[in-house]
Amino acid sequence: MKRIEAIPLRHARAPEADFLVIGSGVAGLRAAIELSRHGRVLMLTKGHPLESSSSYAQGGVAVALSEEDDVAIHLTDTLKAGHGLCRHEAVQVLVEEGPDRIQELIAWGARFDKIGGKFAFAREAAHSRSRILRARGDATGNEMVRVLMAQARRQKTIQWLPHHFTIELAVVERVCRGALVLDEVTGDRFVLPASAVLLATGGAGQVYARTTNPPSATGDGMAMAFRAGAILEDMEFVQFHPTALYLPSSPPFLLSEAIRGEGGQLRNIKGELFMRRYHPAGALAPRDIVARAIWSEMAATRSRHVYLDVTHLDPAFIKRRFPTIYSTCLRYDIDITEEWIPVSPSAHYMMGGVKTDTTGATSIPGLFAAGEVACSGVHGANRLASNSLLEGLVFGARAGLAATAFARRGAGSSLPLPSVRDLDEGPLGTLEDADKLRSSLRRLMWGKVGLVRTGSSLVSATAQLSRWARAVAQPFGTRRDLEVKNMVQVARCIAEAALWRENSVGAHYRADASELTRSGWSQHSRIEQETLVTGLGRLRTLRAEAGSRKG
Ligand code: FAD
Ligand code: SIN
């Protein structure tokens, strides 16, 4: 596909707007389209608007549209994957509104792959039906972003501010009134007012040394919401994708689960097929089980990777079905139709995030969140594959509607707008050795708060992270330093929550605790700033609430 050309910066300074949308992935774009029907929208992104996880999504989007499927089955599969920690009502919204959001996307021009004139529904792990729609084989996110971006650009009420990094949310008397923004080109900082702010800043995979996420996934939205006083929920639940390319010279490029859905097999370095020893569904077992099985095989064979094998499949089919994966691997001199592909797990998706209700409302009036930055409760302890693109569409639209209703009530309009000085207390600092801190943090998280954790690894990680948190407490003036600050704060929240949860559930695996050692395992972890800052102790840091055990 042709890349969409860069959107020009139309204003040297803040254009007037009713709504700020921070982030231009699937969730932000869908929210902006909704908001544009009700007022003027300013769409802010750091870097280029196409640089998001959404653009790289491969496998597809899960939706109950096939003849063999219905929303009740999609609901059951999602709840099962979430290990009792999904919010039933949020999952219901996702699966029931999903089909309309996809039909709407198709009406706007999305072209999902078909076979014989009918949509081709693929199978992925832990789905009991074939329900994954895809585009151009393995370029689903790219197609969805293309269509949403084009639709958004048709709306005259949406203005674009690319290369603008949001530093802080402007919260006055517990109401969100706008945001403090850095112009990445000039270094200017200014406050943008709004009647409501919609956070759609995506995930935080970059806090791990190995991640499928793009470099922009530094958890900024979670960190700024946390600093503003919002509640973060279920931060211990980080999904590790089982199969990312493992080559010393390449970033961990994702090898879609759909490859296993089409018959791809996993072999250890001795060439043995091992997945049946771990789960009856073999290579199509739930993602957390496959990732840990790979981890065990790597440990048992003292290897840094296992292999994904598609050499038994028809080469022409592989090239047609996975064109991006085929050509990317070829660039690294691996012809996947002839050779086994070295793979290992990588951090992939944040189930936790800024706590929202089913309308996208956070614990701060005027602040809404949607997509990967949010924790709406649809994923629980483990996300069902391909549910997040759908989540971005469904909850992006819902958050847009709720933000409109909030703005109409005019709840925050009489409150004063804080100045830059109010929001950035103290002189701007520069992080000594920011790159070194970033790299040390990523290695610490990978080693101690990764796929397999223990109480002692988490105690040592939280101690180091609180030392780093003190080192990044002041305001900074560059995107590089601000991202490292955000990464430290988000990493600390993940590690604290992981330490608090003393049982293994879903993607949170504690080698020192079995599934049921702790009664009340269906609780959600919650973390908010005051308790962390004042250091009131771990258990008071985290408040909990029973999760849904339906399904
Ligand atoms: P994103 O798409 O990540 O967008 C975040 C936006 O926020 C970006 O525009 C970014 O620039 C902006 N931003 C961040 N911080 C700031 C800041 N401080 N100031 C201003 N702007 C900021 N899910 C599926 O359902 N199906 C799949 O097949 C699939 N495949 C995947 C493949 C890969 C390689 C990856 C990484 C993820 C995949 N996922 C998939 C997960 C899914 O893509 C993401 O969860 C989803 O796209 C997140 O969308 P989002 O809109 O919430 O955030
Ligand atoms: C993949 O294609 O394996 C990614 C799907 C997802 O993360 O939902």
Side-chain angles (χ1 to χ4, degrees):
M1 172 196 115
K2 254 190 354 205
R3 281 183 74 86
I4 299 166
E5 83 257 23
I7 297 161
L9 179 59
R10 293 189 196 148
H11 298 265
R13 258 309 144 84
E16 291 280 306
D18 302 301
F19 305 107
L20 292 184
V21 176
I22 308 172
S24 58
V26 161
L29 288 167
R30 185 58 190 82
I33 293 166
E34 198 65 40
L35 288 164
S36 70
R37 297 170 183 151
H38 306 278
R40 295 158 306 167
V41 182
L42 193 53
M43 177 65 119
L44 284 157
T45 56
K46 66 178 179 184
H48 192 283
L50 286 176
E51 193 53 20
S52 64
S53 289
S54 297
S55 295
Y56 296 102
Q58 293 180 358
V61 54
V63 63
L65 276 176
S66 83
E67 281 157 15
E68 63 164 26
D69 203 2
D70 70 47
V71 294
I73 309 175
H74 191 186
L75 179 113
T76 303
D77 289 351
T78 303
L79 291 175
K80 201 167 158 199
H83 288 266
L85 277 162
C86 296
R87 285 214 171 75
H88 195 279
E89 67 277 17
V91 181
Q92 196 130 18
V93 164
L94 177 81
V95 298
E96 281 177 359
E97 295 182 12
D100 284 351
R101 293 286 77 78
I102 293 293
Q103 295 289 13
E104 171 186 78
L105 206 63
I106 293 168
W108 291 341
R111 292 188 292 266
F112 292 110
D113 293 354
K114 292 184 174 174
I115 295 175
K118 287 186 165 181
F119 285 121
F121 290 97
R123 179 69 70 96
E124 282 181 2
H127 287 272
S128 64
R129 295 287 186 279
S130 296
R131 66 164 69 93
I132 319 296
L133 278 180
R134 60 178 186 265
R136 293 192 306 286
D138 54 6
T140 315
N142 183 293
E143 173 68 0
M144 288 173 69
V145 170
R146 177 190 74 80
V147 170
L148 288 166
M149 190 73 89
Q151 183 70 10
R153 293 185 76 181
R154 282 194 277 272
Q155 314 309 314
K156 298 279 176 280
T157 47
I158 301 181
Q159 312 252 31
W160 302 79
L161 271 189
H163 301 282
H164 278 68
F165 184 98
T166 306
I167 305 171
E168 300 289 0
L169 297 164
V171 174
V172 186
E173 295 176 23
R174 297 265 324 146
V175 178
C176 189
R177 290 280 290 110
L180 172 65
V181 170
L182 168 78
D183 180 331
E184 289 171 20
V185 179
T186 64
D188 286 353
R189 290 172 309 139
F190 49 94
V191 177
L192 292 174
S195 307
V197 174
L198 208 144
L199 208 49
T201 45
Q206 285 296 325
V207 302
Y208 286 96
R210 281 187 60 76
T211 180
T212 61
N213 290 190
S216 54
T218 50
D220 301 343
M222 294 170 196
M224 72 179 89
F226 171 71
R227 288 193 295 269
I231 293 171
L232 302 189
E233 187 168 67
D234 290 349
M235 293 295 283
E236 65 274 35
F237 296 121
V238 179
Q239 185 169 75
F240 291 82
H241 198 289
T243 55
L245 184 62
Y246 181 85
L247 286 178
S249 57
S250 85
F253 172 69
L254 181 77
L255 293 155
S256 175
E257 194 156 281
I259 295 183
R260 279 171 285 131
E262 299 289 0
Q265 291 295 348
L266 288 166
R267 297 178 184 276
N268 64 21
I269 52 153
K270 296 178 192 163
E272 297 162 350
L273 296 170
F274 59 84
M275 268 316 299
R276 290 270 169 207
R277 279 193 269 120
Y278 293 88
H279 196 278
L284 276 181
R287 202 169 265 191
D288 58 320
I289 291 171
V290 181
R292 283 197 297 276
I294 291 176
W295 191 265
S296 301
E297 291 296 310
M298 283 161 49
T301 57
R302 294 171 182 272
S303 165
R304 290 177 179 274
H305 63 80
V306 296
Y307 289 108
L308 180 60
D309 174 12
V310 293
T311 55
H312 53 291
L313 302 177
D314 174 17
F317 168 73
I318 292 291
K319 290 179 197 171
R320 193 173 61 246
R321 176 69 177 83
F322 301 109
T324 313
I325 292 170
Y326 173 74
S327 60
T328 304
C329 289
L330 213 48
R331 277 212 298 282
Y332 293 109
D333 298 323
I334 299 174
D335 182 340
I336 66 173
T337 64
E338 293 175 0
E339 296 161 73
W340 297 349
I341 318 161
V343 293
S344 78
S346 278
H348 183 60
Y349 183 85
M350 284 294 299
M351 268 77 73
V354 183
K355 180 182 175 351
T356 66
D357 65 14
T358 53
T359 71
T362 70
S363 53
I364 299 179
L367 178 65
F368 298 80
E372 193 169 339
V373 69
C375 181
S376 63
V378 289
H379 306 305
N382 197 18
R383 177 179 63 101
L384 186 66
S386 291
N387 262 356
S388 43
L389 290 173
L390 193 69
E391 178 193 20
L393 292 178
V394 168
F395 288 90
R398 286 192 143 236
L401 263 184
T404 304
F406 177 87
R408 248 190 237 122
R409 290 198 299 276
S413 53
S414 59
L415 293 168
L417 189 70
S419 66
V420 173
R421 280 174 72 94
D422 294 332
L423 292 167
D424 255 0
E425 289 161 24
L428 288 186
T430 304
L431 249 186
E432 290 293 322
D433 250 342
D435 294 342
K436 183 163 182 230
L437 176 52
R438 185 178 174 124
S439 154
S440 305
L441 170 97
R442 286 159 52 87
R443 281 181 286 125
L444 177 90
M445 289 297 286
W446 184 253
K448 299 196 164 173
V449 198
L451 184 55
V452 176
R453 302 135 182 209
T454 64
S456 62
S457 75
L458 293 168
V459 166
S460 124
T462 49
Q464 180 62 64
L465 287 162
S466 34
R467 282 193 289 278
W468 283 336
R470 281 194 288 278
V472 299
Q474 86 244 54
F476 295 104
T478 64
R479 171 173 167 177
R480 184 195 67 164
D481 291 358
L482 288 160
E483 284 184 342
V484 174
K485 174 179 175 140
N486 290 336
M487 287 166 70
V488 170
Q489 291 182 336
V490 168
R492 192 169 172 224
C493 292
I494 296 171
E496 286 284 349
L499 183 56
W500 172 81
R501 187 175 289 283
E502 290 172 340
N503 68 315
S504 294
V505 56
H508 171 68
Y509 183 75
R510 292 260 308 238
D512 56 345
S514 66
E515 285 242 345
L516 293 171
T517 48
R518 191 185 156 90
S519 65
W521 63 271
S522 59
Q523 289 177 328
H524 293 279
S525 70
R526 287 186 181 179
I527 194 160
E528 56 186 330
Q529 192 200 33
E530 197 189 324
T531 44
L532 257 191
V533 163
T534 54
L536 284 179
R538 195 158 48 81
L539 283 177
R540 291 187 63 185
T541 304
L542 293 149
R543 293 184 289 126
E545 176 194 277
S548 159
R549 300 199 54 170
K550 287 186 198 166

